Amino acid sequence: MNGRFKASGGAVGGGLLVAGTTSDAGKSVVTAGICRWLARQGVRVAPFKAQNMSLNSFVTREGAEIGRAQAMQAAAARVEPTALMNPVLLKPGSDRSSQVVLLGKAVGELSARGYHAGRQEQLLGTVTDCLQELRRTYDAVICEGAGSPAEINLRRTDIVNMGLARAARIPVMVVGDIDRGGVFASFFGTTALLSKEDQALVAGYLVNKFRGDVTLLEPGLEMLRGLTGRQTLGVLPFSHGLGIDEEDGLRVSLRGAVRESVVAPPHGAEVLRVAVAAVPLMSNFTDVDALAAEPGVVVRFVDRAEELADADLVVLPGTRGTVRALEWLRERGLADAVVRRAAEGRPVLGICGGFQMLGERIEDDIESKAGTVDGLGLLPVRVRFAAEKTLARPVGEALGEPVAGYEIHHGVAEVTGGDEPFMSDGQGRSLDGCRAGSVWGTHWHGSLESDGFRRAFLRRVAADAGRAFVPAPDTSFATLREEQLDRLGDLIEEHADTAALLRLIEEGAPEGLPFVPPGAP
C-alpha cells in the first residue's frame, strides 16, 4: 500500500466503511478480516465504529469502555484498542432506553426517541473528529456500519452508516448474508433506497456465508452489476466457528452450544458440563468462551431449572439489569435450584452481575431504582450501586495462578466473610470477590482467559462435582484467538478482490457510479 493521500484537514490515511444489508450480515467479521489481512501486509490499520449498541463491552488500557467487537478488531489489526475506535456506545437497559457511553465514559440514560430526536446529530462532530484522528495516525481505518444503511426512517440523524461516509468522504462496501436468502434483492434494494449523494459512495458488494459452487452464483453477480453498475468484491464461503465477540446479542439458541464451537474430546475420562443462566440483558457472555475452548468442556445456555440437574458448574453471568435478572431467576425457579446446588456442595460461579446476585442484599437506587433487594444469600457480600461506574484492568492471583481481567460495574461489593478471597494480590490480600463452600463470585470479566487459572479452577470444579475431568495441559486461549483472526484474514485474502479493496481504501469510491432509482423518498 503506498500510504497516504490528502484530504481536508491534512494528510490522512485511507478508509472504508463496511456496511450491511441487515444486522448480523457479517460486518464485524469482515471488518476484522480486512484488518488482519492489511496488518499482515505491513499496513498500519485500525478499526472504527462510530456508534455501537451492545452489552458486550471491554475496557481499554486508559480505562475507557468500548464494544468488545472493536477490541477484537483492534486485536486483528495488531494494535491496542482505544476509545477513539468506538466513540459512542449504547448499552440497552430496556426496550426503550440505553445508557450512553461517550468516549469511554457513561454520560447518562436516554430513551430511543430522545437519542434520535437530537443527541445523535450533536455527536456527528465527535465521531468524525475521532475518525479523523485515527486516519492521521494510521495508513488505513476500516469502519463498521450498524444495521443497514437503508434505514430511511433514521437517515436524517445517522452518524454510523451513510451519514459518517458522507461526512468523512469514505467509500462503502455493502455485505450481504446469502445464507439467509434474498441477497440480490437486498443489495439492489439497499442501493435503490439511498439518495443520489449516498449512492455515489456505495462502491461494491461482498457476499458472505456462501455454500456450494461459486460458479453457480456468477450469472447473478453479473446481472447485479448490470443493474447497479457496481461490482461484487468477493464471495466468502460459509465457515463454522468464525464469529468474533458479537455486539447485538447471543447468536445462539438458549439450549444450543456456545456459538458454533465444536466440542473437543475430553483430555480425561469424562466431560465437564457447564450451564450458563441466560439472564435478561446478559452482558459479556463471552466470559464463557474460554470454558468452551477447553477440550471436554460442554457449555450450554439455559433458561429452565430442570436444565441445571446434570450441570457440573452453573454460571450466573454479567447483566445490565442485576435486579431484573434476579427476579427472572426467581420467576423461573432457577434461583431455588441454584440455592439447592450450593447446599449440596455443587459448584456455582457468579461473574459481575451474577456475583452481585449471589450476595446477601443489593441496594440499587441507580440501575433499577428498586431500593434494597434480597440476594440469593450464598455469599457474604453486600452490594451498593454507585453513580460512577468502575472501569479497570486489574491483575492478581487466584488458586496460585496469575489472573488478568477487566471490570465494568456500578455495584460496589462489601465482602464480610467467606472461606477465602477469589482474587488476591499474591500475598493473601483480597482484591476482589470471595468463595464460600463451592460458590465463587468475582466482578472480573475475562479472568477465565488466563490459562493457568482456568485450568486450576476447572480442576476444583471437577473435584467438587465428582467428575473424572482433567483439563488439557496445553490449551492457550490467546493462541486460539489468534488462529481465529488469521482465519478471518485468510478469508479476505483468498476470496475477496484484494486489489479492488486496496484501490477503494486508498483512492475512495470511483467517479461516475450510476444512480439506481428510485433513491431515497
Side-chain angles (χ1 to χ4, degrees):
M1 188 170 184
N2 60 25
R4 311 170 79 80
F5 61 92
K6 290 284 184 178
S8 61
V12 297
L16 175 70
L17 175 67
V18 179
T21 57
T22 61
S23 294
D24 203 30
K27 298 183 293 291
S28 296
V29 166
V30 169
T31 300
I34 295 174
C35 285
R36 175 49 59 100
W37 161 65
L38 287 173
R40 293 195 306 210
Q41 310 307 308
V43 176
R44 294 179 302 160
V45 58
F48 179 78
K49 184 156 186 173
Q51 172 193 295
N52 199 345
M53 179 171 282
S54 178
L55 290 173
N56 205 18
S57 57
F58 183 74
V59 179
T60 67
R61 282 184 178 170
E62 72 267 31
E65 185 179 8
I66 65 172
R68 268 198 70 103
Q70 279 60 66
M72 285 301 298
Q73 289 162 354
R78 295 174 175 155
V79 298
E80 187 67 28
T82 73
L84 291 174
M85 297 173 184
N86 180 205
V88 182
L89 173 63
L90 305 178
K91 303 194 73 174
S94 70
D95 292 340
R96 294 178 177 270
S97 68
S98 294
Q99 182 181 72
V100 180
V101 178
L102 180 61
L103 293 173
K105 304 297 180 184
V107 295
E109 297 273 339
L110 272 181
S111 68
R113 180 176 292 276
Y115 183 68
H116 288 287
R119 184 59 187 265
Q120 191 176 31
E121 283 184 290
Q122 297 169 10
L123 294 174
L124 179 59
T126 299
V127 302
T128 54
D129 287 347
C130 289
L131 176 57
Q132 189 78 346
E133 180 63 28
L134 288 174
R135 293 178 74 185
R136 291 192 192 101
T137 306
Y138 294 92
D139 296 328
V141 179
I142 308 303
C143 308
E144 180 187 343
S148 162
E151 291 167 351
I152 54 179
N153 57 315
L154 303 177
R155 175 61 185 89
R156 183 182 62 83
T157 58
D158 171 50
I159 63 172
V160 66
N161 290 309
M162 301 312 301
L164 177 72
R166 285 268 296 276
R169 300 304 301 171
I170 54 175
V172 179
M173 178 179 69
V174 181
V175 178
D177 180 356
I178 197 170
D179 200 47
R180 295 182 175 193
V183 74
F184 293 116
S186 297
F187 284 143
F188 182 86
T190 296
T191 309
L193 278 176
L194 301 178
S195 69
K196 182 177 180 180
E197 293 78 11
D198 285 352
Q199 285 190 30
L201 293 174
V202 176
Y205 311 111
L206 186 80
V207 176
N208 193 27
K209 300 182 187 176
F210 179 70
R211 305 173 191 252
D213 184 351
V214 72
T215 61
L216 298 177
L217 195 63
E218 288 171 354
L221 301 179
E222 283 301 313
M223 285 186 273
L224 181 67
R225 183 164 189 167
L227 289 165
T228 66
R230 292 155 174 86
Q231 71 179 105
T232 298
L233 299 166
V235 178
L236 306 187
F238 187 98
S239 184
H240 286 284
L242 288 179
I244 63 169
D245 298 0
E246 291 96 346
E247 61 189 40
D248 294 326
L250 201 58
R251 188 174 52 115
V252 62
S253 163
L254 292 182
R255 281 174 284 280
V258 174
R259 314 262 185 89
E260 298 152 342
S261 303
V262 176
V263 178
H267 187 70
E270 293 184 295
V271 300
L272 201 69
R273 296 176 177 85
V274 178
V276 184
V279 297
L281 298 174
M282 190 188 311
S283 62
N284 291 76
F285 54 84
T286 47
D287 281 333
V288 299
D289 282 1
L291 295 179
E294 280 285 345
V297 175
V298 182
V299 178
R300 297 170 69 85
F301 288 87
V302 304
D303 60 354
R304 295 198 299 249
E306 55 269 27
E307 293 176 302
L308 303 187
D310 66 346
D312 302 306
L313 171 66
V314 169
V315 178
L316 301 185
T319 172
R320 171 84 163 86
T322 300
V323 170
R324 177 178 168 185
L326 190 54
E327 292 172 351
W328 181 88
L329 290 175
R330 287 177 168 138
E331 289 168 358
R332 290 172 173 261
L334 284 159
D336 289 340
V338 170
V339 171
R340 286 194 299 272
R341 284 183 62 88
E344 295 165 358
R346 303 172 68 193
V348 177
L349 170 64
I351 302 173
C352 200
F355 168 43
Q356 296 165 6
M357 288 186 275
L358 291 171
E360 296 168 351
R361 73 173 187 229
I362 300 167
E363 297 176 19
D364 181 11
D365 295 317
I366 303 296
E367 191 174 76
S368 68
K369 298 180 172 57
T372 301
V373 176
D374 288 336
L376 297 180
L378 299 180
L379 290 176
V381 176
R382 297 171 183 173
V383 176
R384 176 184 54 82
F385 274 64
E388 186 172 347
K389 185 185 293 189
T390 296
L391 297 170
R393 289 272 293 272
V395 294
E397 181 180 289
L399 301 179
E401 299 286 346
V403 184
Y406 57 100
E407 296 183 70
I408 306 170
H409 54 90
H410 284 280
V412 178
E414 177 191 3
V415 178
T416 60
D419 299 322
E420 61 178 315
F422 199 164
M423 308 296 177
S424 71
D425 64 358
Q427 299 180 8
R429 290 187 290 267
S430 176
L431 294 178
D432 180 77
C434 69
R435 176 184 69 85
S438 61
V439 180
W440 309 72
T442 178
H443 270 130
W444 292 16
H445 294 290
S447 63
L448 292 167
E449 296 180 17
S450 300
D451 297 327
F453 163 67
R454 182 180 64 254
R455 287 192 278 270
F457 179 68
L458 289 176
R459 282 192 291 269
R460 289 284 292 267
V461 168
D464 287 346
R467 289 283 183 190
F469 169 83
V470 179
D474 55 356
T475 301
S476 167
F477 188 72
T479 298
L480 292 173
R481 283 287 201 197
E482 273 297 297
E483 290 173 353
Q484 184 185 42
L485 294 173
D486 273 331
R487 289 175 64 197
L488 296 180
D490 292 343
L491 275 181
I492 298 300
E493 187 168 346
E494 296 168 10
H495 300 282
D497 186 340
T498 53
L501 279 176
L502 278 179
R503 282 195 300 273
L504 284 180
I505 293 167
E506 289 189 291
E507 302 171 11
E511 297 290 335
L513 289 170
F515 172 68
V516 180

